[in-house]
Amino acid sequence: MISKTKTILAAVLGVSVAATLALAQSKPAIDPARIDAMLKTAFKAAPADWAGRIEGDETMKICSATNNAPKADDAKKIEASAKASMKYPDDGKLLGDWQKGERIAQSGYGMRFTDYPAANPNGGNCYACHQMTKQEVSYGTIGPSLLEYGKIRKFTEADTKAAYEKIYNSHAVFPCSLMPRFGLNGILSIDQVKDLTALLMSPDSPVNK
Ligand code: HEC
């Protein structure tokens, strides 16, 4: 009886593995133009300011076409355009208020159908992808842990600037990054980017405790 069950189990497992392999091998070629057309019809009723997001800019087009593995030339192009996109605070201060930064990092509000018309400022949803503080145990792991981010970097000015720029436009550091371009796309304001920079780079922030 046991051996019969085992045989059946093995057969079932065998079939499912074979089926998965077959699926992986017969991945259909989809015409990108058809996908673009489908997206346009699917979001017909979307607010006017969504049009550019559905279309995708030059960076998104390259990243989509290459499955996020751009050729060296294209990677350089993306990096250069992301660097050129940087905007800095008028007062030259890159560190805002880490307490506000923590609230922004926790908030996933914004840019969903249910958030129109917007009643609150957008959040950064950083915890969806990053571990950031020891206190918060619910976090995603698409991005690396940012625990002790500033402490590890000895709170230097250069690393503070790097953190600000990473949040403003992640592709300046990592072309075809999976991290949203918060500043460039107007998801977060310059003040919000400063608050998040403070969350990462202030000695008294929970990130560095
Ligand atoms: C959709 C997932 C996602 C979200 C949301 C996200 N990130 Fe990231 N982040 C990543 C990934 C993936 C990386 C690693 C690849 C790279 O550097 O782009 C990364 C890298 C980083 C780095 C560089 C880490 C290093 O080792 O130098 C910082 C700093 C950072 N993120 C901060 C933030 C902050 C602050 C927020 C919220 C405003 C945020 N991230 C939101 C995915 C995300």
Side-chain angles (χ1 to χ4, degrees):
M1 188 60 199
I2 289 174
S3 79
K4 197 177 168 195
T5 315
K6 267 191 185 160
T7 314
I8 292 170
L9 198 66
V12 171
L13 284 176
V15 165
S16 73
V17 169
T20 313
L21 286 177
L23 263 181
Q25 281 164 5
S26 62
K27 197 173 159 202
I30 302 169
D31 178 6
R34 274 187 69 192
I35 297 176
D36 287 349
M38 257 183 69
L39 277 173
K40 270 192 195 131
T41 32
F43 289 98
K44 244 185 203 150
D49 61 330
W50 279 34
R53 292 176 61 200
I54 296 166
E55 185 77 25
D57 63 7
E58 191 59 25
T59 296
M60 284 301 104
K61 280 184 181 146
I62 295 172
C63 296
S64 297
T66 61
N67 216 354
N68 295 330
K71 287 201 209 85
D73 286 5
D74 281 334
K76 269 196 204 128
K77 215 159 81 182
I78 291 173
E79 226 175 276
S81 93
K83 283 202 172 111
S85 79
M86 292 297 167
K87 290 205 171 64
Y88 300 92
D90 289 337
D91 64 4
K93 291 190 180 117
L94 300 181
L95 291 174
D97 176 342
W98 69 256
Q99 279 168 312
K100 284 189 191 159
E102 167 64 2
R103 287 198 289 277
I104 298 164
Q106 289 277 2
S107 165
Y109 184 88
M111 305 184 88
R112 300 165 295 193
F113 279 112
T114 44
D115 299 331
Y116 274 83
N120 296 298
N122 292 334
N125 215 13
C126 315
Y127 283 95
C129 296
H130 294 285
Q131 178 182 32
M132 297 187 86
T133 61
K134 290 190 185 108
Q135 289 88 327
E136 179 54 78
V137 293
S138 169
Y139 54 83
T141 53
I142 293 173
S145 169
L146 303 177
L147 264 191
E148 303 194 340
Y149 195 81
K151 198 169 164 186
I152 293 165
R153 289 163 179 77
K154 306 201 162 50
F155 307 108
T156 66
E157 237 173 80
D159 284 312
T160 303
K161 186 162 179 250
Y164 178 96
E165 290 176 342
K166 180 74 194 172
I167 303 167
Y168 193 91
N169 189 342
S170 52
H171 292 240
V173 189
F174 198 114
C176 295
S177 166
L178 298 181
M179 179 165 147
R181 297 169 292 172
F182 292 102
L184 173 78
N185 286 336
I187 302 167
L188 300 175
S189 68
I190 285 186
D191 279 339
Q192 287 179 305
V193 177
K194 284 171 66 166
D195 294 339
L196 287 160
T197 307
L199 179 66
L200 293 179
M201 296 303 293
S202 298
D204 50 348
S205 143
V207 166
N208 296 310
K209 293 286 177 199

